[in-house]
């Protein structure tokens, strides 16, 4: 079995127990203990997510709302208690089911299997990266800031794609030009500077955070 399950809970013993159980069933287990950890692990394209509602920082509902437009897999909330109003909130942000603690491992596995069987979207591979408040959707070839789409031209996105997929690595203008425009293109690397200026301007309309750093005399890099 190559099914990837992401287990997110702020209680280490629960994560350990569930990881051991599902690994024993042949699943590939990813784990996280807070919202930022979930965002990082989601980039590995899990097939199903078990998401605790009460996590430190961004809770499960907030995390679900952020990733739902970019992640097609089933999301099952783990919770100690559940009111009807909480259920409504959970389904509203894109959750697929609720598992109330304490739960039977056999029932949990049965629920997981049922959702995987019903998952008609499992062939879609969402290629995404979460960088601060910025979401990079490589499938859609666009950026989102807190759910708002940032429109980029084709070459602008290709520069973002190159830098963001190699965070911390410095790329000179000539190297970027060769990778994006090609060795045989008419023109010169000065066009890279203008494209990066445009990218920065578009991102700056939403946030003061600088994602592309100039390394003077060397080139540019994506800040981790």
């Amino acid at each position: 079995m190559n099914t990837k399950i992401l287990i997110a809970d702020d209680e280490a013993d629960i994560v350990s127990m569930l990881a051991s159980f599902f690994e024993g069933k042949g699943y590939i287990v990813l784990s996280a203990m807070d919202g930022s950890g979930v965002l990082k692990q989601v980039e590995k394209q899990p097939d199903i997510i078990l998401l605790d509602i009460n996590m430190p920082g961004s809770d499960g509902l907030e995390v679900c709302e952020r990733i739902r437009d970019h992640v097609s897999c089933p999301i099952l909330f783990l919770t100690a208690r559940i009111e009807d109003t909480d259920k409504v909130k959970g389904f509203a942000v894109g959750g697929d089911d609720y598992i109330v603690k304490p739960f039977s491992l056999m029932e949990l596995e049965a629920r997981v299997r049922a959702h995987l069987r019903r998952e008609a979207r499992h062939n879609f591979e969402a290629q995404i990266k979460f960088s601060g408040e910025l979401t990079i959707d490589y499938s859609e070839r666009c950026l989102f800031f807190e759910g708002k789409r940032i429109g980029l031209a084709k070459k602008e996105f290709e520069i973002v794609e190159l830098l963001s997929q190699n965070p911390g690595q410095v790329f000179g203008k000539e190297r970027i030009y060769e990778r994006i425009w090609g060795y045989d293109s008419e023109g010169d690397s000065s066009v890279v500077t203008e494209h990066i200026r445009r990218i920065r301007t578009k991102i700056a309309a939403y946030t003061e955070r600088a994602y592309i750093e100039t390394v003077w005399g060397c080139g540019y890099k994506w800040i981790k």
Side-chain angles (χ1 to χ4, degrees):
M1 180 185 292
N2 293 317
T3 303
K4 286 189 232 176
I5 183 169
L6 170 54
I7 300 168
D9 197 296
D10 64 342
E11 296 185 48
D13 56 342
I14 289 181
V15 173
S16 178
M17 175 189 68
L18 292 179
S20 178
F21 175 77
F22 280 103
E23 284 172 349
K25 298 293 183 179
Y27 288 78
I28 297 171
V29 174
L30 308 173
S31 63
M33 297 186 67
D34 55 28
S36 61
V38 173
L39 296 181
K40 192 67 178 175
Q41 294 288 40
V42 159
E43 295 174 8
K44 298 177 183 177
Q45 302 173 21
D47 298 292
I48 191 166
I49 300 172
L50 302 183
L51 183 59
D52 181 34
I53 289 182
N54 298 311
M55 292 188 299
S58 298
D59 65 22
L61 296 174
E62 293 171 344
V63 171
C64 181
E65 185 173 25
R66 180 167 181 190
I67 68 177
R68 182 75 281 181
D69 287 340
H70 310 284
V71 174
S72 61
C73 72
I75 298 175
L76 282 60
F77 287 119
L78 303 178
T79 181
R81 61 183 179 80
I82 188 66
E83 304 287 344
D84 286 343
T85 53
D86 295 324
K87 284 186 178 181
V88 170
K89 290 178 184 177
F91 291 131
V93 297
D96 294 285
D97 202 354
Y98 277 92
I99 309 295
V100 180
K101 302 175 184 177
F103 46 76
S104 157
L105 288 176
M106 295 304 165
E107 179 187 352
L108 176 59
E109 185 195 10
R111 294 266 199 105
V112 166
R113 287 185 177 276
H115 279 282
L116 289 172
R117 283 195 302 267
R118 289 197 298 264
E119 180 50 37
R121 300 164 293 183
H122 69 285
N123 289 325
F124 174 76
E125 295 184 358
Q127 299 176 351
I128 57 175
K129 181 182 288 291
F130 296 96
S131 185
E133 297 301 314
L134 197 69
T135 300
I136 307 168
D137 191 323
Y138 299 107
S139 300
E140 294 293 326
R141 301 183 67 75
C142 58
L143 305 183
F144 294 88
F145 183 82
E146 295 183 341
K148 299 176 182 177
R149 186 181 183 121
I150 303 175
L152 296 181
K154 182 176 183 293
K155 297 297 186 187
E156 292 169 358
F157 182 81
E158 288 176 354
I159 291 173
V160 169
E161 182 177 34
L162 173 64
L163 297 179
S164 65
Q165 289 185 343
N166 299 278
Q169 183 175 338
V170 179
F171 288 83
K173 287 191 297 183
E174 291 76 13
R175 187 179 177 193
I176 294 173
Y177 184 79
E178 290 173 353
R179 292 281 292 270
I180 304 301
W181 277 265
Y183 292 95
D184 302 324
S185 296
E186 298 287 340
D188 60 68
S189 61
S190 62
V191 71
V192 172
T193 303
E194 176 60 20
H195 276 67
I196 287 180
R197 185 193 67 79
R198 291 177 187 173
I199 294 166
R200 285 172 167 165
T201 298
K202 290 178 179 181
I203 294 177
Y206 296 88
T207 176
E208 295 181 356
R209 174 175 170 177
Y211 287 88
I212 300 177
E213 179 180 300
T214 298
V215 181
W216 296 107
C218 298
Y220 305 94
K221 70 177 180 178
W222 190 267
I223 301 175
K224 297 180 180 180

